[in-house]
Amino acid sequence: MSASKGFDADPSLSGLGRHMHAIAAYREELGRLQASWDTLSLLGELSGNATEMAGTRAAFGELSTALLHHLAIETHRKALADLRTKAQNGINILVRNLFERTADIGFLSADGHIRDLLEADTEDAGARAALEARFREYVAKYSVYSDIILLDREGEVRARLEPHAKSASHHAILAEVMASEAAYVEHFGPLDIVSDEKRLVYAWRVERPGQRPLGVLILVFRLADEMEGIFGNLIAPDDWTVLACASPDGTIIASSCPIQAPAGLKLPPSALRPSDKPLRLGGRQYLAVACEAAGYQGYLGPGWSCIGLLPLEAAFEREEGQVVDGVDAGLLDSVTGDPALFSDELRIVSRKAGVIQRDLNRSVWNGWIKQTDSTEANVAFSKLLLSEVSNAGRKTQAVFDASIGDLYRTVIAAILEKCRSHAAFAIDVMDRNLYERANDGRWWALDATFAKALAEPSPEGFRSCASVLASINALYTVYSNLILFDAAGRVVAVSQPGQEHLLGTALDGEWVSRALSLRSTQDYAVSRFEPTALYGEAATYIYAAGISGRNGRPLGGVAIVFDSTPQFDAMLHDALPADAAGRPLTGAFALFLDEAGKVIASTSQRFVIGSVCDLAIDLGSVAPKQDLSRIIAFEGRYYAIGAVISQGYREYKTQDGYRSDVIAVCAVPLGAVTEGRVAVPAAANAATLARKSGERGPETEIATFHIARHWLGVPARDVVEAVDAVDMKPAAATLAGTIFAGYKLYKGAPVPVLRLETRLGISGGPREDQQIVIVRSAGSLLGLLVDTLGTIPAVQQSDIMPIRELTSRDDVPATGVVGNAGSGEGMLMLLDVDRLGLDVLGRTPFRAQAAE
């Protein structure tokens, strides 16, 4: 049907419709149903007794267009959101990594060994070899660097890690470093003593405070290696996404696919601007997003962006998976009404579909009532036409239900993916951060000041050590304290004056003995995440490295107390899913858990550090490369849950022998858990349930309806018609709570409406979209308030069991029951309309309209 193609007219979806194969299938199916409606509408005009279908046909057509439009919008939005999350995570992770490099260059340029070599009057081959060996130790720990270069004031190479043909530099970076008032110089481009190709380096001057600079230190960052790792973590093997890092002018610096987005390619300006339109690149069309860094502690990186590209032919493949397919009806009912998850437009589509189907059911039901006991010649044709209309309505509703379900699942799948990707971001940031902590402790343990003081203990030596620790701690604020301890585990120096009460005390953690037993400068020890007096009885990690004498005998070690509470809190808050304005989603929370499910950190006060997380998730199923995405019910709400286990970073937790499984969890509320709506059958094809007259004896057609799970009915000959309950006037205060629900104006006169569930003493059904069945009762009209309309079966009178045979009570307003009315809906109770009318008319303050 042509109207259903309207979703492609939206400017943001121009040209995308043909790639949305699931929506195209719905469009074709609705097109076939529209043809059926056209035929039925024509036949309806030929039958004066058939129900009017023009309005229903038009309503279905309009809703089809709206439904397909919204489904396309949400499909497009989900694909862009997934792409944007990957690109944003990519640039944010890179910037966090580079932030650590800005601290490294400042600390290493102040290294005493480097200053000593530059201050020497003559070059000493032995001193250079010793310093280059120290550089190798540094890179063995901080493996993000490929080279370290030390230049004197004239640009002559005095020491370096990797050999190079050039022995001096004349690059402008030297003058920039000497003149800069910043804390470092970040440079991306060719560098004569590094490569003719672009490299990312960090440089700073070597100097003593207040004196003329001695030279320049340069750290060469492994950018290509780092970007490969970032992209590999963000893009699954079967993912078509291409990620690229680009400079401000659009030149690609690094890419996950050198064929589709090779380094050096300059992207068009449109690729760097927000746009919903596809990007044409190399003869192919892509969904494209560009994300700038969010920044970390004021550092924004080199000004680069991460570009996400997704080929259109793969952009809208349905891969929500079994988790989303298994979403139960209770959850869908709950989240449908949540304005935080679904826009008014989406919720209106769902409501309109229900209203149209309800109106169609009522129209068919009333049409069937009109044919009851009719003697007109075309009654058989009219009933057949009504049956076909009912069939067409059910088929159309089934398509609507399936597509609306897909609409909801698309939105929920987007939320699940957001939770998973944000959890992955959090655990990646944690692993990278703790990688730096393992490096720091091992590197600082190599300081000659510490080894000398431990080998030759003296108050002056330990004061010198405390001064070194304090200067380090001033640069590396992620630590609450740095501790130097001797071979007996006694504290001999601390970085924080407020912690000097620890001096002379013996450290008792099991990690102390492990640290003292380490023999390699690459080894380190880590405490369990547990409360410790070294951190005010709060829980944290303590990283430690041993210090050995020249004979290999352990002299002591360095312990660094990670300031876990604010650091982990910041990581988790940065990982919280946010809305379009960048605000964390209301009710969302994030956690770090250990392998036993104990809380390491949390953004919610509900989950106390050290307590066992009681979310209904199986942490054992969270394995590397097998992230968990689930929808759970927790404390009266549904939550989308994403959980990802730590995979380490570089050699940290992968090749260094350290194992500590930490799981990041991200949760977003989806809506309150409510008791599912009672499923009641919609008005079915009455003709399929009617038996041929005279098959076994006299028959009575029963007009049926539902209140919750109860199936009730009255003789069809007593029914005038069914109307909606809109504008029903409520009962007066004096009658509130009685069986009198109010009255409905029908053909200009008030008709009293009976609350059936109250009169019958049964639990009520849904309170929305109720309908009123108007019947002839005791010479007047009476309205019966019902939940939904049912079938109109023809029941053999011999199948009706009189109520007096079931009960001796005389207050039951029923004439009998039917054990099997041919519909499979269970037992049908036949109501006594005259008895119900007398019940109501005796309690209402006005005369009812007389029955026609």
Side-chain angles (χ1 to χ4, degrees), residues 370-436:
K370 287 171 59 178
Q371 311 307 317
T372 301
D373 296 329
S374 174
T375 58
E376 296 185 18
N378 64 346
V379 65
F381 173 75
S382 295
K383 287 187 175 182
L384 179 60
L385 180 58
L386 287 170
S387 298
E388 291 304 315
V389 170
S390 182
N391 284 334
R394 285 201 312 278
K395 291 177 182 177
T396 306
Q397 184 65 33
V399 176
F400 280 173
D401 288 345
S403 54
I404 289 173
D406 278 351
L407 187 62
Y408 295 153
R409 279 185 281 270
T410 297
V411 175
I412 293 172
I415 297 172
L416 279 170
E417 174 56 25
K418 179 176 289 189
C419 290
R420 189 211 60 80
S421 61
H422 281 252
F425 173 79
I427 202 65
D428 196 7
V429 168
M430 183 194 216
D431 282 341
R432 290 165 177 270
N433 189 295
L434 297 183
Y435 158 85
E436 303 289 345

Side-chain angles (χ1 to χ4, degrees), residues 25-38:
Y26 281 128
R27 182 176 57 193
E28 292 178 5
E29 191 166 359
L30 286 169
R32 289 191 294 270
L33 286 170
Q34 185 66 54
S36 297
W37 281 111
D38 291 343

Side-chain angles (χ1 to χ4, degrees), residues 86-224:
K86 293 171 186 172
Q88 191 67 66
N89 285 354
I91 192 63
N92 286 349
I93 289 171
L94 175 63
V95 165
R96 279 178 172 269
N97 188 313
L98 299 185
F99 173 79
E100 297 283 352
R101 314 293 62 94
T102 65
D104 287 351
I105 188 61
F107 176 75
L108 191 58
S109 63
D111 187 88
H113 299 80
I114 294 175
R115 285 199 303 256
D116 291 345
L117 185 143
L118 291 177
E119 288 177 332
D121 293 334
T122 59
E123 288 197 27
D124 184 338
R128 174 169 179 161
L131 185 59
E132 289 176 346
R134 187 165 173 78
F135 286 169
R136 281 192 292 275
E137 280 278 11
Y138 189 84
V139 170
K141 296 162 182 59
Y142 299 89
S143 57
V144 294
Y145 299 113
S146 62
D147 202 358
I148 303 176
I149 308 167
L150 178 63
L151 308 174
D152 61 20
R153 282 191 295 265
E154 286 71 36
E156 295 289 331
V157 175
R158 299 293 300 276
R160 71 177 301 162
L161 189 62
E162 294 293 328
H164 194 277
K166 287 188 176 293
S167 60
S169 174
H170 304 285
H171 196 276
I173 193 173
L174 276 74
E176 183 181 356
V177 168
M178 293 299 183
S180 176
E181 296 182 358
Y184 61 90
V185 167
E186 187 176 57
H187 171 78
F188 179 69
L191 190 57
D192 53 6
I193 55 168
V194 178
S195 173
D196 293 334
E197 298 179 356
K198 291 181 178 180
R199 294 288 187 268
L200 179 63
V201 302
Y202 290 83
W204 196 237
R205 52 184 175 262
V206 179
E207 60 187 348
R208 290 192 184 275
Q211 297 183 13
R212 183 185 180 192
L214 300 169
V216 173
L217 183 70
I218 298 174
L219 296 176
V220 183
F221 183 64
R222 295 179 183 269
L223 179 63

Side-chain angles (χ1 to χ4, degrees), residues 554-825:
L555 298 175
V558 172
I560 56 181
V561 183
F562 183 52
D563 196 6
S564 63
T565 300
Q567 295 300 320
F568 286 159
D569 187 68
M571 293 178 202
L572 290 178
H573 274 92
D574 286 348
L576 284 175
D579 59 18
R583 296 182 297 266
L585 295 177
T586 302
F589 61 85
L591 310 169
F592 283 138
L593 308 175
D594 68 13
E595 61 268 29
K598 288 185 178 180
V599 177
I600 293 174
S602 168
T603 62
S604 169
Q605 295 180 351
R606 166 64 179 75
F607 301 94
V608 179
I609 294 175
S611 65
V612 176
C613 174
D614 51 356
L615 291 175
I617 54 178
D618 178 13
L619 297 181
S621 65
V622 187
K625 305 297 183 181
Q626 294 180 350
D627 306 338
L628 179 147
S629 294
R630 293 287 186 275
I631 295 171
I632 66 169
F634 179 68
E635 295 186 341
R637 295 189 69 82
Y638 287 108
Y639 283 87
I641 297 287
V644 180
I645 196 170
S646 59
Q647 300 181 43
Y649 172 63
R650 293 186 175 273
E651 64 277 2
Y652 177 69
K653 289 188 179 182
T654 61
Q655 302 171 14
D656 59 7
Y658 175 53
R659 172 72 184 273
S660 176
D661 290 337
V662 177
I663 297 170
V665 176
C666 182
V668 171
L670 297 177
V673 176
T674 57
E675 292 190 12
R677 292 168 58 93
V678 176
V680 290
N685 179 0
T688 63
L689 304 178
R691 302 189 185 95
K692 293 182 179 179
S693 180
E695 190 176 63
R696 283 172 35 210
E699 293 181 331
T700 299
E701 288 189 314
I702 307 298
T704 73
F705 37 82
H706 297 268
I707 296 178
R709 297 183 176 87
H710 301 277
W711 191 26
L712 311 170
V714 297
R717 61 178 178 272
D718 293 334
V719 176
V720 178
E721 68 173 316
V723 297
D724 63 44
V726 176
D727 298 328
M728 186 179 71
K729 305 302 180 183
T734 56
L735 296 174
T738 68
I739 64 173
F740 178 52
Y743 63 89
K744 172 76 174 179
L745 286 177
Y746 179 70
K747 297 184 178 180
V751 174
V753 179
L754 171 67
R755 200 183 301 279
L756 266 180
E757 69 269 18
T758 302
R759 174 63 182 87
L760 299 176
I762 59 179
S763 58
R767 304 313 303 172
E768 295 181 0
D769 301 331
Q770 288 186 297
Q771 302 184 68
I772 298 172
V773 176
I774 296 179
V775 298
R776 304 176 185 88
S777 173
S780 299
L781 296 185
L782 172 67
L784 305 178
L785 192 61
V786 304
D787 290 343
T788 56
L789 301 175
T791 57
I792 306 180
V795 175
Q796 297 284 337
Q797 291 182 7
S798 59
D799 289 340
I800 301 175
M801 180 179 295
I803 196 70
R804 63 178 178 272
E805 296 182 12
L806 299 176
T807 179
S808 60
R809 293 175 53 182
D810 59 1
D811 60 342
V812 179
T815 60
V817 296
V818 182
N820 180 8
S823 69
E825 296 180 45

Side-chain angles (χ1 to χ4, degrees), residues 520-534:
S520 167
T521 58
Q522 285 299 102
D523 295 331
Y524 62 95
V526 188
S527 73
R528 291 187 292 269
F529 187 83
E530 59 188 3
T532 172
L534 299 179

